[in-house]
């Protein structure tokens, strides 16, 4: 599965790219267990939600630790220091790995509710 990712290069510039998680065949639920595709389990350490009104802008900042951001409702965008933007709506997911460097700007286009899942050992 491929997900958008924000990360920092060796020069401290923040970029938006892709995180490609390998998948394997897995069975879902009780018999007859329909087949599906699953990634490896990733350990999470904490979970928090945040709601902000439309028009909110968080100036350039880094992720405090590696986390996954999931848009629960509304629409927002993230702007990397290289100028590239990713816009996410409900169900959108972003791997945030830019714990150093120039950081990113976050904006709420509409009222926005987010879930942050901190990743262990990332």
């Amino acid at each position: 599965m491929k997900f958008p990712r924000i990360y920092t290069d060796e020069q401290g510039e923040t970029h938006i790219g892709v995180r490609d998680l390998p998948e394997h065949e897995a069975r879902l639920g009780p018999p007859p267990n329909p087949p599906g595709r699953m990634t490896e389990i990733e350990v999470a350490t904490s979970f928090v939600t945040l709601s902000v009104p439309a028009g909110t802008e968080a100036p350039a900042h880094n992720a405090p630790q590696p986390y996954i951001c999931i848009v629960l409702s509304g629409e927002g965008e993230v702007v990397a220091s290289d100028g590239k933007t990713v816009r996410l709506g409900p169900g959108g997911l972003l791997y945030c790995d830019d714990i150093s460097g120039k950081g990113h700007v976050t904006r709420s286009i509409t009222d926005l509710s987010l879930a942050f899942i901190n990743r262990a050992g990332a």
Side-chain angles (χ1 to χ4, degrees), residues 4 6 10 13 18 23 25 30 45 50 56 66 68 83 91-92 97 104-105 113 115 119:
I6 190 162
E10 298 79 29
E13 200 74 46
V18 174
E23 300 173 82
E25 186 171 309
T45 60
L50 171 71
T56 300
I68 298 168
D97 294 324
H104 62 275
V105 173
S113 292
R119 297 165 28 228

Side-chain angles (χ1 to χ4, degrees), residues 8-120:
T8 305
D9 67 18
E10 298 79 29
Q11 290 74 41
E13 200 74 46
T14 303
H15 304 280
I16 295 170
V18 174
R19 175 152 180 171
D20 191 0
L21 300 176
E23 300 173 82
H24 61 274
E25 186 171 309
R27 296 284 176 176
L28 177 65
N33 302 80
R37 305 286 299 163
M38 180 193 289
T39 64
E40 293 301 317
I41 293 173
E42 190 169 346
V43 178
T45 60
S46 59
F47 168 84
V48 65
T49 61
L50 171 71
S51 294
V52 294
T56 300
E57 181 172 317
H61 61 284
N62 296 103
Q65 64 187 50
Y67 65 85
I68 298 168
C69 178
I70 301 171
V71 178
L72 302 174
S73 65
E75 187 174 20
E77 67 181 13
V78 176
V79 182
S81 66
D82 69 1
K84 188 170 180 183
T85 300
V86 63
R87 190 172 275 210
L88 299 167
L93 184 149
L94 178 67
Y95 272 81
C96 299
D97 294 324
D98 64 329
I99 59 174
S100 64
K102 297 179 182 177
H104 62 275
V105 173
T106 306
R107 297 185 185 118
S108 60
I109 307 304
T110 66
D111 290 349
L112 187 62
S113 292
L114 305 168
F116 295 100
I117 302 168
N118 292 318
R119 297 165 28 228

